[in-house]
Amino acid sequence: MPMETVRLARQGEIAIATIDNPPVNALGQALRADLARVIAEAGADPTLSAIVLAAAGRAFIAGADISEFGKPPLAPYLPDVLDAIEACPKPLVAAIQGAALGGGLEVALACHGRVAAPTASLGLPEVRLGLIPGAGGTQRLPRLIGAAKAFPLMLSGEPVNAGKALELGLVDAVTGEDLIAAAVAQAHMLASRGAPLRLSEAGAKLTAADRAAFEALAADALKKSADLPNVAALIEAVRGAFELNFAEGLAVERALFLKLVADPRSAALRHVFFAEREIARVPGIGADVQPRPIAKAAVIGAGTMGGGIAMCFANVGIPVTLIEQEQAQIDNGMNRVAAIYEMSVTRGSLTPEKRDARMALITPAVGLAAAAEADIVIEAAFEEMGVKQQIFAALDGIAKPGAILASNTSYLDVPTIAAATRRPRDVLGMHFFSPANVMKLLEVVRPQGVAEDAVVTAMALGRRLGKVPVVVGNGFGFVGNRMLEARTRATERLLIAGALPHEVDAALTGFGFKMGPCAMADLAGNDIGWRSRKARGKTAAVADAICEAGWFGQKTGRGYFLYPEGARSGQRDPEVEALIARISEEQGLTRRSFSSDEILSRLLDPMVNEGARILEEGIAARPGDIDVIWLNGYNWPAWRGGPMYWADTVGLGAIVARLEQQAAETGDATLQPAPLLRRLADEGKGFADLKTRSA
Ligand code: T1G
């Protein structure tokens, strides 16, 4: 007998229906059926005068069950359950604790009253899944608070807290006391009034002025998001609240919603939703392994990365000591941090009080001894193995027992760094992405032999810092930069074979990236890649030639592109294009043109191939982990799902064929399809068919 997902109790003439569908009361088919049954029973019970709808656990209702989307719909359908709630002859009061999101908020809107606990957060985040509210939200919410307030909530998908919800009129009351008692009192009050107020019958908020305000917001929204179909759909649905009766408005909303659910962009965003939750599960480490307490941190190196990492701690209230070798260096570092905070204050995104509080949490220091009290020490020094080994050897004698020693290295061998200490079980990599105080991605590098609780501590700390932490195995470039290098090699091949920088970049920006590889190199500084290649004895004809000319990118006014004073983006540089043509000639290549599609596949296929090798080697545990890394560290467009998800949508067989053709054409063995990629293709499978592997 399946567990009941709604328990019914009573307090006198008030029924208390408590939803209990762990972990977050998602509205799966069983819950919908139980909810419909309980509401019908209580509604027909002559001894009851009202109903309180409460929920167990940390969330009220997390929304529709996203895992059901894309599958044949199962009755009872949510809109019908909500219609039954609203049509109930007895008033229903929602008692909201925790998250009431998407369908969860729509359930509350179908109720006749709403009481919230201070922990409540209410929102309609469907747009984040490429959707729109699909169970009456676009019709009931404008009727409750007006379209001019409702539309921005649905457009942003951002939840509001209990206080804001009360201010907006989303809830009738917020109580820090007994939520159920408050809801029962509200239920009694509504019962005493007779027929419950149904939002489907309300329309007072939908005034001409509200319509005008909504239309202005809608016009602005359309300008900003022309490439996402759900914004236009949301506008059409909300407009229906003004122009149609409730039933017609619901029908329009439903049709638009169902069309969006079938859109591949929504399917990709739903993949991202689950992939970003899957990363919390570190294969081979049980959920019982507890993180070590982190109360104090230390960061070694006050350069751009070190300063940014120190800010990450200060931003969440963790005291951090920022350490350099000399006073002048630490002064520079602190000035850089202060300047960044000052910019936020100028922009209005940070109050002066918060700036001061955060600066006060960063203690500048000279010498490693200042790291003695830290629970975690993150090294962000010069990217040179000898420097890092020296620092870790010294830290070994300074850091307290049990302190986590992490390197922010972006591609060096973490076990070699750990070997400089007598505590390798406490040493791992925490690879932040620049700017560290902004970029979400954190690669937690897990070398063989590191303690499980050290890994769990780094993951928990990453989440606490507001990062998206992904465990990766040790290996050159770990996951993100290793695949980026594959794309960089592909860019070189394309430029020498006949494509030009603006064509290569346009192929990627047309795919949905904010920036193409050439513009990105110009932004980061072409000399960074140049130095790394020289350190590893590697060459790249075009990239090296551009650096030898001193064209390091934006910072020198020219790189792959020209950046005239004040120009917002790069312009084609005839000298660079002539240089590239000369290199093609020197290599005896006859240049040819490439279509945008061909450029795109020649850039992305080698990345997918490298991703397959990364999975084979266990450097990443799951294909979704690789997707999460590229979404949060390199601006892969979320509505494309990530490189491995994209590969599945293309079909691995097609990718294998293109790679084989390129390998034959160029003689580049790295383009030979990885065994895992070939096996999946031969079996007619995708990366999604892979099971978890241990990192
Ligand atoms: N459906 C299915 N599973 C869900 C889920 C959902 N809506 N929400 C969470 N889960 C799973 C999640 O995958 C994880 O599983 C576990 O629950 C804990 O989640 C009709 C169409 C509520 C703020 O977009 O924002 O309603 O990994 O780790 O950090 O108009 O979950 O443990 O196996 O995130 O405490 C709209 C999505 C849906 C909200 C809790 N709703 N959820 O955060 O836990 S569309 C959303 C969240 C919709 C209607 C439309 C968060 C949370 P596992 P978690 P958390």
Side-chain angles (χ1 to χ4, degrees):
M1 176 71 178
M3 184 194 84
E4 284 213 320
T5 59
V6 184
R7 293 192 303 274
L8 193 56
R10 62 186 301 158
Q11 275 186 23
E13 57 187 58
I14 307 293
I16 313 285
T18 303
I19 293 169
D20 190 3
N21 188 28
V24 290
N25 297 326
L27 287 157
Q29 190 270 344
L31 175 52
R32 296 196 301 272
D34 286 348
L35 206 45
R37 177 177 49 77
V38 165
I39 298 300
E41 272 173 28
D45 183 334
T47 67
L48 291 171
S49 63
I51 304 162
V52 166
L53 183 58
R58 62 184 189 266
F60 176 66
I61 299 175
D65 184 335
I66 302 170
S67 64
E68 285 185 0
F69 294 159
K71 296 171 188 162
L74 299 165
Y77 307 125
L78 188 55
D80 301 336
V81 175
L82 302 196
D83 288 348
I85 287 174
E86 190 178 63
C88 182
K90 300 178 187 344
L92 261 135
V93 175
I96 303 167
Q97 95 296 353
L101 299 175
L105 179 53
E106 289 170 310
V107 165
L109 292 171
C111 293
H112 311 101
R114 288 154 289 279
V115 176
T119 59
S121 73
L122 299 89
L124 292 172
E126 289 85 342
V127 286
R128 294 179 174 175
L129 297 169
L131 303 171
I132 64 170
T138 67
Q139 307 303 305
R140 289 192 175 95
L141 189 57
R143 284 175 167 79
L144 179 64
I145 64 173
K149 288 182 190 171
F151 177 67
L153 278 184
M154 291 186 271
L155 182 67
S156 71
E158 283 294 326
V160 294
N161 62 27
K164 183 70 179 169
L166 183 63
E167 185 191 312
L168 286 169
L170 252 181
V171 297
D172 308 310
V174 175
T175 173
E177 308 302 320
D178 180 335
L179 176 62
I180 300 302
V184 166
Q186 180 80 357
H188 276 301
M189 189 272 288
L190 292 180
S192 66
R193 281 190 187 161
L197 168 71
R198 294 181 173 87
L199 284 175
S200 57
E201 294 156 5
K205 295 279 186 184
L206 299 176
T207 62
D210 184 46
R211 173 71 186 265
F214 157 68
E215 291 296 349
L217 292 168
D220 183 51
L222 264 187
K223 272 203 299 253
K224 290 179 185 157
S225 44
D227 60 345
L228 287 179
N230 55 332
V231 174
L234 178 63
I235 291 166
E236 184 182 347
V238 173
R239 194 168 283 148
F242 288 97
E243 297 175 348
L244 307 167
N245 68 37
F246 184 74
E248 291 163 342
L250 269 189
V252 166
E253 174 195 86
R254 192 80 192 142
L256 290 165
F257 171 77
L258 291 175
K259 189 161 173 254
L260 289 167
V261 168
D263 188 307
R265 282 168 284 204
S266 177
L269 290 167
R270 299 192 304 261
H271 157 73
V272 170
F273 173 84
F274 287 114
E276 288 192 338
R277 279 155 182 80
E278 186 82 17
I279 59 175
R281 268 195 285 281
V282 181
I285 298 184
D288 58 321
V289 177
Q290 292 307 308
R292 299 179 196 176
I294 301 288
K296 290 181 194 164
V299 175
I300 313 293
T304 309
M305 286 305 288
I309 295 169
M311 290 174 70
C312 291
F313 284 101
N315 292 351
V316 296
I318 301 174
V320 55
T321 303
L322 184 57
I323 298 170
E324 262 295 356
Q325 301 174 82
E326 290 161 23
Q327 192 58 44
Q329 291 167 323
I330 193 60
D331 291 346
N332 285 342
M334 290 301 286
N335 291 339
R336 184 185 297 113
V337 168
I340 295 170
Y341 277 138
E342 203 49 43
M343 265 193 293
S344 300
V345 171
T346 308
R347 273 202 305 266
S349 58
L350 188 69
T351 63
E353 296 72 26
K354 276 199 175 166
R355 170 206 52 207
D356 298 343
R358 290 179 182 182
M359 283 302 293
L361 282 167
I362 304 176
T363 306
V366 174
L368 294 177
E373 294 310 307
D375 302 303
I376 185 163
V377 184
I378 299 181
E379 170 272 320
F382 192 62
E383 195 69 354
E384 202 282 312
M385 183 55 85
V387 169
K388 295 188 186 299
Q389 286 178 307
Q390 206 175 1
I391 289 170
F392 275 78
L395 281 175
D396 193 26
I398 294 167
K400 66 185 188 182
I404 305 279
L405 306 183
S407 173
N408 171 55
T409 181
S410 55
Y411 63 87
L412 293 176
D413 189 71
V414 177
T416 305
I417 294 172
T421 74
R422 287 157 300 166
R423 53 170 107 181
R425 285 176 53 76
D426 296 338
V427 182
L428 43 64
M430 287 181 77
H431 177 210
F432 290 80
F433 284 71
S434 183
N437 55 306
V438 173
M439 291 303 282
K440 289 281 188 196
L441 179 60
L442 171 66
E443 284 182 322
V444 174
V445 185
R446 178 189 182 185
Q448 293 292 339
V450 69
E452 288 185 350
D453 70 336
V455 176
V456 168
T457 305
M459 292 292 282
L461 176 63
R463 283 190 289 276
R464 194 172 155 198
L465 297 177
K467 301 298 178 186
V468 176
V470 186
V471 170
V472 297
N474 180 64
F476 179 78
F478 311 127
V479 172
N481 283 350
R482 177 169 163 182
M483 290 171 69
L484 179 64
E485 173 134 323
R487 193 182 81 182
T488 304
R489 287 201 304 271
T491 302
E492 269 288 312
R493 279 195 295 271
L494 278 161
L495 291 175
I496 292 172
L500 292 172
H502 69 282
E503 293 169 332
V504 173
D505 280 15
L508 270 197
T509 52
F511 179 77
F513 278 88
K514 290 194 181 76
M515 199 176 263
C518 299
M520 203 177 102
D522 279 351
L523 177 68
N526 296 315
D527 50 324
I528 293 176
W530 191 33
R531 197 169 40 238
S532 165
R533 284 193 298 278
K534 286 197 281 189
R536 291 177 289 130
K538 302 263 184 189
T539 60
V542 173
D544 292 350
I546 285 175
C547 289
E548 276 145 23
W551 303 337
F552 292 161
Q554 289 194 23
K555 60 187 172 186
T556 59
R558 64 189 305 184
Y560 285 92
F561 301 109
L562 282 171
Y563 298 88
E565 192 61 37
R568 289 185 57 77
S569 61
Q571 294 163 10
R572 289 177 63 173
D573 182 346
E575 283 190 61
V576 165
E577 295 181 11
L579 169 72
I580 293 170
R582 209 166 44 247
I583 291 171
S584 304
E585 194 181 350
E586 285 162 6
Q587 295 200 10
L589 288 170
T590 306
R591 294 179 65 79
R592 73 170 178 90
S593 63
F594 287 85
S595 70
S596 207
D597 284 350
E598 196 178 2
I599 290 174
L600 187 70
S601 60
R602 283 172 177 256
L603 288 171
L604 302 187
D605 291 352
M607 287 174 57
V608 169
N609 204 26
E610 203 59 41
R613 294 195 184 99
I614 284 167
L615 288 167
E616 283 167 343
E617 297 163 22
I619 299 289
R622 298 162 286 246
D625 292 13
I626 296 175
D627 291 335
V628 169
I629 284 170
W630 269 82
L631 289 160
N632 289 280
Y634 303 85
N635 287 320
W636 183 284
W639 52 275
R640 298 273 193 184
M644 312 314 271
Y645 181 89
W646 168 79
D648 282 358
T649 62
V650 168
L652 301 191
I655 292 178
V656 164
R658 292 193 306 229
L659 284 168
E660 283 175 331
Q661 187 239 325
Q662 265 199 77
E665 182 191 298
T666 61
D668 183 338
T670 64
L671 292 171
Q672 282 299 340
L676 172 65
L677 178 60
R678 186 183 297 284
R679 173 172 69 78
L680 289 171
D682 292 348
E683 294 168 1
K685 289 180 179 172
F687 289 109
D689 298 311
L690 284 178
K691 296 289 166 270
T692 294
R693 294 193 38 160
S694 59

